[in-house]
Amino acid sequence: MNDIQTVYPKVAKIIANVLAVDESNISLDKRLIEDLGAESIDFMDLIFQLEREFGVKIPRGQVEKEVRGKLQNDEFEKNGVITPKGLEALKNYLSEVPEKYFKSNLKSNEISRLFTVETFCKLVIKEKAKQTESVNV
Amino acid sequence: MSYSFVDRIIELEEGKRIVGLKKITHQDLYFYKNDKGKTVLEPLIMGEALGQLLAWNVIKSSQFQFRILGGILHEALNLNDAFIGETILLEGNIDLLDYENKVVVYDAVASIHKKPIFKISCLSPLIDLNYLNDVNEIQREFQKIYQPCSIENCELHMEDSDLDTSYDQYFEVDTILEWKKGSYLIAEKILSPLSPYFSNHFPKRVVLPLTVLLGCNTKLAIHLLSDFLNEHKSKIKFKKITKAKINQFIIPCDTLKSKIIYKGNEKNRFFCDFYNEVKGNKICVGSAEFLIGQI
């Protein structure tokens, strides 16, 4: 289970179910909040269902934590607004999100607005890989 | 009269399972007459009782730090009628209780004489208990209702069919704003602070129970269906609610605007979507299924 196309059908089905939208409306590039109408409570439900379906544990705030990587808090954001350095790190991590959605004054509490269906596919793949690594150790 | 529907907790495995009882009495207030003229407990009140039961498990498991409130109702299934005088056995199981991410996932069933009458499955956020309740008061209340015993040793009462009570108004709306026969209905309800469902829900922050919101939606849907199907309202039964989610508190004096949209039918099953807003902000969405005749 190491590529997007393998996990995508199940992820798409779960997202369609959680957001009560037709599966035909789901595609890798659709943003969950902006395009599919997700709300914060939906993310709780989505994470729970992905964890159950794929047998992984997805720590909350995982994406933001990984984006920050080695950046200190004030390197990543200032007064709730992502710095240029933070924005670059965000673009590199969320490489599946089109460039045009990364506004220069993006707030840290708006990061989740960027998440696409593909973002969650990548998250699942990453957590599955971590799981496989820890089993092999 | 407090909006509380768990009379007794008879079994509790913290973070896992809970069993309770609820005796249906006149004082439950929320009844309607079914198509046979019998007084029936509003089914969503059983859903409320089940939600409150699970709240007790979370409250005790978290040592009175958290409770549950709202969230997503994945499914509520209405299986059978419940009558005044009967005792409902409430059973709940927790699938996931995650304190770090403040979420609980659970399912629960209400039964009468071993016959399931209502089921729910939910995902709810954990809320600080202190935000809604006085912790000491809740601790005292828990001491009163937690009386462990085996189900076999509990007194489970039979229906008392001599009683005749019907208070159907609590889930009714005030004004129909728009109505297109067989298509949709939009209505308004001003939430009076004197309404009994606000009592003790909650002492520190009074909010509308989700079950009342859903009850209003199902009642409206029945009006819509009754009109274009040409069936008496009492013959149309709410069978199922799916994917109902609420994202904000609704408070006394708010004006609740509700839209019910007819989505079609499969033989005797009729489907509606509902949408609620307050001050132009979306509050709740979901879907419901109705039957004509027996559920």
Side-chain angles (χ1 to χ4, degrees), chain A residues 16-20 37-39 41-42 44-45 48-49 51-52 57-60, chain B residues 71-72 74 95-96 98 100-103 105 123-126 243 245-247 282:
Chain A
N17 184 273
V18 165
L19 301 184
E39 294 165 313
I41 191 83
D42 294 315
M44 273 186 170
D45 196 11
F48 167 69
Q49 301 229 25
E51 287 179 339
R52 195 163 65 168
K57 187 82 188 136
I58 302 175
R60 305 308 180 260
Chain B
I72 299 175
H74 285 133
D95 203 339
L96 170 79
D98 185 343
E100 189 191 336
N101 298 298
K102 298 214 177 128
V103 65
V105 179
L123 177 145
S124 291
L126 303 185
K243 298 196 182 93
K245 56 181 175 175
I246 186 165
N247 64 6
K282 183 178 89 173

Side-chain angles (χ1 to χ4, degrees), chain A residues 68-129:
Chain A
R68 284 174 191 254
K70 293 187 178 123
L71 290 178
Q72 299 297 316
N73 275 352
D74 57 359
E75 285 183 291
F76 184 76
E77 63 171 303
K78 271 197 173 72
N79 300 321
V81 178
I82 313 282
T83 62
K85 219 173 183 176
L87 206 62
E88 268 321 295
L90 200 53
K91 281 182 196 173
N92 287 334
Y93 188 85
L94 295 175
S95 55
E96 71 278 3
V97 177
E99 172 89 26
K100 63 183 175 180
Y101 295 135
F102 293 91
K103 308 178 297 183
S104 57
N105 56 346
L106 185 73
K107 296 194 179 96
S108 55
N109 63 9
E110 291 175 331
I111 291 175
S112 57
R113 304 192 85 85
L114 297 168
F115 294 169
T116 64
V117 174
E118 188 170 347
T119 308
F120 286 92
C121 291
K122 279 169 57 176
L123 204 53
V124 165
I125 291 167
K126 203 166 195 132
E127 294 308 318
K128 281 301 276 186

Side-chain angles (χ1 to χ4, degrees), chain B residues 135-162:
Chain B
V135 174
N136 293 329
E137 183 61 45
I138 288 291
Q139 285 172 333
R140 278 193 289 273
E141 200 178 325
F142 180 77
Q143 291 309 320
K144 272 198 286 187
I145 70 171
Y146 181 50
Q147 300 167 35
C149 78
S150 66
I151 294 171
E152 293 72 29
N153 289 338
C154 293
E155 278 183 42
L156 301 176
H157 297 272
M158 301 293 288
E159 174 196 345
D160 187 341
S161 56
D162 287 335

Side-chain angles (χ1 to χ4, degrees), chain B residues 2-268:
Chain B
S2 176
Y3 198 73
S4 298
F5 299 104
V6 177
D7 296 335
R8 189 168 157 191
I9 298 168
I10 61 172
E11 191 182 311
L12 174 59
E13 197 182 340
E14 291 182 17
K16 292 199 166 71
R17 176 172 161 76
I18 182 167
V19 182
L21 299 174
K22 194 257 164 318
K23 170 98 188 276
I24 305 172
T25 70
H26 272 122
Q27 275 138 11
D28 288 313
L29 298 182
Y30 307 94
F31 297 96
Y32 71 97
K33 288 264 196 246
N34 71 6
D35 55 343
K36 294 176 176 61
K38 294 193 75 173
T39 301
V40 175
L41 181 70
E42 178 59 55
L44 283 161
I45 296 300
M46 290 186 276
E48 178 69 34
L50 292 171
Q52 289 180 7
L53 182 77
L54 268 300
W56 279 119
N57 193 315
V58 169
I59 286 169
K60 186 64 173 67
S61 306
S62 68
Q63 294 169 61
F64 298 88
Q65 271 195 74
F66 298 110
R67 70 168 301 137
I68 57 177
L69 182 67
I72 299 175
L73 177 63
H74 285 133
E75 188 176 84
L77 203 52
N78 183 25
L79 297 164
N80 272 297
D81 290 336
F83 305 97
I84 294 176
E86 290 186 314
T87 304
I88 309 174
L89 182 72
L90 309 164
E91 296 173 275
N93 292 295
I94 291 177
D95 203 339
L96 170 79
L97 177 52
D98 185 343
Y99 288 115
E100 189 191 336
N101 298 298
K102 298 214 177 128
V103 65
V104 63
V105 179
Y106 65 90
D107 57 81
V109 58
S111 326
I112 294 178
H113 305 300
K114 297 186 184 175
K115 195 161 77 163
I117 52 167
F118 203 88
K119 287 183 178 179
I120 59 171
S121 62
C122 303
L123 177 145
S124 291
L126 303 185
I127 312 274
D128 284 341
L129 181 63
N130 194 42
Y131 183 72
L132 297 169
N133 294 94
D134 179 279
V135 174
N136 293 329
E137 183 61 45
I138 288 291
Q139 285 172 333
R140 278 193 289 273
E141 200 178 325
F142 180 77
Q143 291 309 320
K144 272 198 286 187
I145 70 171
Y146 181 50
Q147 300 167 35
C149 78
S150 66
I151 294 171
E152 293 72 29
N153 289 338
C154 293
E155 278 183 42
L156 301 176
H157 297 272
M158 301 293 288
E159 174 196 345
D160 187 341
S161 56
D162 287 335
L163 298 173
D164 178 23
T165 308
S166 180
Y167 306 101
D168 206 5
Q169 75 270 37
Y170 297 113
F171 295 170
E172 291 290 351
V173 297
D174 297 312
T175 320
I176 304 285
L177 300 173
E178 265 178 71
W179 188 326
K180 188 173 175 190
K181 188 173 179 120
S183 180
Y184 69 87
L185 187 159
I186 301 176
E188 216 171 62
K189 181 181 178 73
I190 298 168
L191 299 168
S192 166
L194 299 176
S195 301
Y197 43 74
F198 281 129
S199 171
N200 218 36
H201 196 277
F202 296 92
K204 280 187 168 184
R205 211 157 246 101
V206 181
V207 300
L208 184 73
L210 176 59
T211 43
V212 172
L213 179 59
L214 298 176
C216 293
N217 288 332
T218 54
K219 282 279 177 287
L220 270 177
I222 288 172
H223 281 307
L224 180 66
L225 293 171
S226 159
D227 175 59
F228 93 90
L229 294 175
N230 221 15
E231 291 280 359
H232 193 270
K233 284 186 295 186
S234 63
K235 283 190 147 57
I236 302 173
K237 306 284 176 68
F238 132 66
K239 174 67 185 174
K240 194 194 281 192
I241 287 176
T242 50
K243 298 196 182 93
K245 56 181 175 175
I246 186 165
N247 64 6
Q248 268 184 66
F249 292 144
I250 305 172
I251 60 175
C253 301
D254 272 347
T255 299
L256 177 68
K257 198 166 172 183
S258 307
K259 183 172 184 177
I260 311 295
I261 304 164
Y262 176 59
K263 302 300 286 184
N265 71 296
E266 282 171 20
K267 293 189 184 170
N268 198 34

Side-chain angles (χ1 to χ4, degrees), chain A residues 55-57 126-137:
Chain A
V56 294
K57 187 82 188 136
K126 203 166 195 132
E127 294 308 318
K128 281 301 276 186
K130 274 187 204 169
Q131 208 178 51
T132 310
E133 268 172 40
S134 60
V135 163
N136 291 338
V137 159

